[in-house]
Every structure is written in structure tokens, then in C-alpha cells.
Amino acid sequence: MGKRRGRRQGGARGAGDGWSSDGSEAGPAHGSDDESENSGGSRRRQPRRTVAERLEAGELTVEDATEKARETLLRILTAAPKSRAELEQSLARKGYPEAVVGPVLDRFDEVGLVDDAAYADMLVRTRHAERGLSRRALAMELRRRGIAEEIAADALEQVDPDDERTAALALARKHVARTSGLDRDVRVRRAVGALGRKGYAPGVSFGVVRDALAEEGEDALDDDYPGADD
């Protein structure tokens, strides 16, 4: 009985301590350098090395990395237009070094696949027409997308003060109609808040909300209504 117990214990030790059944030393339990074992005993794959790391290790040539970057950019641009800054950020997140990204984007600039001026024009035109964004909100979005100030200024010239007020009034009418039957102060507060989120100043917002309410036959806002003159 004692000998059999000893053999069973020995067999268990061999399975758990890296020994094979014939007594030779077995390899690591995880089986590859790309996997590690967490505290729960399951295997977890190690993060894939970036393009920059593979270049440094000699696994990729600069030509290979350039081609990969080009293909990645084409996939991104096929899905949606982007500014040069957005594309730089996207490739940086994927681990491409600047020495590869810069020349590829320069080439895309040359052939017109990346054009910040055309992109800014399109963004201003569609965001104003479809979402009713004010010039201030549009300027903030262009800045967030990395558009240079002079390019943004040219694009914003598409929207003049009359265009802004027309868009603001359309928004005011929509939001006022949604609150029909509610207290006037509630209607004003909600409509002005919605316009503020589109980037319109309080004075403009109260003015168009006053007009929208008047079109419905609602009493006009007093000139001393809080915020009406801001």
C-alpha cells in the first residue's frame, strides 16, 4: 500500500512540475513566448508588437512598414474622410513611427487623397446644414480634428450671420413644437438650452425662441427676461 501511494504521488508531481511520464523534463506549461498564465490558470496571449518594435527588431523593412501604412490609410479613408492630423493619430495608435507616417502622408497630400481644406469645407457645410451647428461650434470641431486655423477660417466663411440665424430659428421652431402645452418658462428654458448645445450665444438663442413662440401665438418674451440680452 505504501509503495503504491508513493508512485501515485510521484505521478502527480510529474504532471504538475514539468516532468514527462518517462522522467524527462518537459517544456513550459504555456507552450510559447506569446502566451502567459494568469492567476486563474487560463492562458493569455501577449500583446502583439508594434510596427516600430518590429522595425527595430529587423522583422520588417522600412519598405514593408511603408506599404502597411499605405494600406491602413486607404482602409481608413474608404470608410470616412479624415484630416491629416486624425490620420497621424490613428497610425500612431497602431504603432507606426513618425519616420514612416510622415512620408506616406506627404505622398497622400500630393495626390489629393488627403486635403484638409476640402475636408474642412465639407465638414462646415454638412454640419451646419444637417445639424444646425453655429460658427462657434463648427470652429471647435475643426480645431478638435486638427485643422489649421487659417484653413478653418476660410471654411467658416461659408456660414454668414444670416445663415446662422436662419439655422437657429429652424432649431427653435423644432424644439418649441416639441414642448407644446407646457409652461412657457419650461419651453423657453429647454429650447434655449438646446440651442446653447449647438453653440449659439444666449442673445441669439432667446431672440429666435421669442420669434418661434410668437409664430405660435404665444406671448412674446419680455426684453428683461433673464439672459435675453446676453
Side-chain angles (χ1 to χ4, degrees):
M1 289 292 289
K3 291 181 179 180
R4 286 196 296 273
R5 186 180 301 112
R7 284 195 295 271
R8 285 198 298 272
Q9 290 172 343
R13 180 181 65 84
D17 295 340
W19 293 84
S20 64
S21 59
D22 63 0
S24 62
E25 189 173 0
H30 51 70
S32 76
D33 291 338
D34 291 332
E35 295 179 347
S36 63
E37 188 168 319
N38 61 25
S39 58
S42 61
R43 293 179 179 179
R44 182 179 57 194
R45 187 170 296 278
Q46 295 297 318
R48 181 179 297 179
R49 286 190 291 181
T50 66
V51 172
E53 290 170 339
R54 295 176 67 192
L55 275 168
E56 186 175 352
E59 297 176 7
L60 281 179
T61 65
V62 173
E63 291 75 15
D64 290 337
T66 297
E67 181 61 21
K68 286 180 175 294
R70 189 185 69 83
E71 292 173 355
T72 300
L73 287 173
L74 288 173
R75 285 197 300 270
I76 294 172
L77 291 171
T78 298
K82 300 287 183 183
S83 69
R84 176 169 179 138
E86 289 176 305
L87 294 171
E88 287 175 342
Q89 293 168 4
S90 181
L91 288 181
R93 286 193 297 268
K94 295 178 183 296
Y96 286 89
E98 174 57 30
V100 169
V101 174
V104 176
L105 284 173
D106 288 343
R107 179 56 180 163
F108 273 49
D109 280 335
E110 291 174 6
V111 299
L113 290 174
V114 176
D115 186 337
D116 277 3
Y119 177 63
D121 284 346
M122 179 274 296
L123 199 68
V124 167
R125 185 170 58 254
T126 57
R127 292 291 193 273
H128 180 69
E130 297 173 4
R131 302 184 186 180
L133 294 186
S134 69
R135 283 174 57 94
R136 181 169 63 175
L138 291 166
M140 291 176 61
E141 181 160 358
L142 292 173
R143 190 178 305 115
R144 180 174 60 81
R145 293 176 181 272
I147 300 297
E149 287 188 13
E150 61 273 16
I151 294 176
D154 288 343
L156 289 169
E157 288 182 358
Q158 298 175 91
V159 181
D160 62 28
D162 289 339
D163 294 329
E164 264 200 319
R165 197 179 190 288
T166 298
L169 180 57
L171 288 170
R173 287 168 175 157
K174 181 174 68 174
H175 289 289
V176 162
R178 289 176 178 174
T179 56
S180 179
L182 297 181
D183 180 79
R184 188 188 71 163
D185 287 351
V186 173
R187 303 180 75 189
V188 171
R189 186 169 61 251
R190 291 186 181 180
V192 168
L195 285 162
R197 288 189 291 275
K198 297 289 187 177
Y200 292 97
V204 173
S205 299
F206 277 102
V208 294
V209 170
R210 177 193 292 118
D211 291 347
L213 288 171
E215 289 174 358
E216 287 192 351
E218 185 75 58
D219 291 339
L221 299 179
D222 297 329
D223 289 339
D224 60 352
Y225 195 92
D229 295 326
D230 291 350

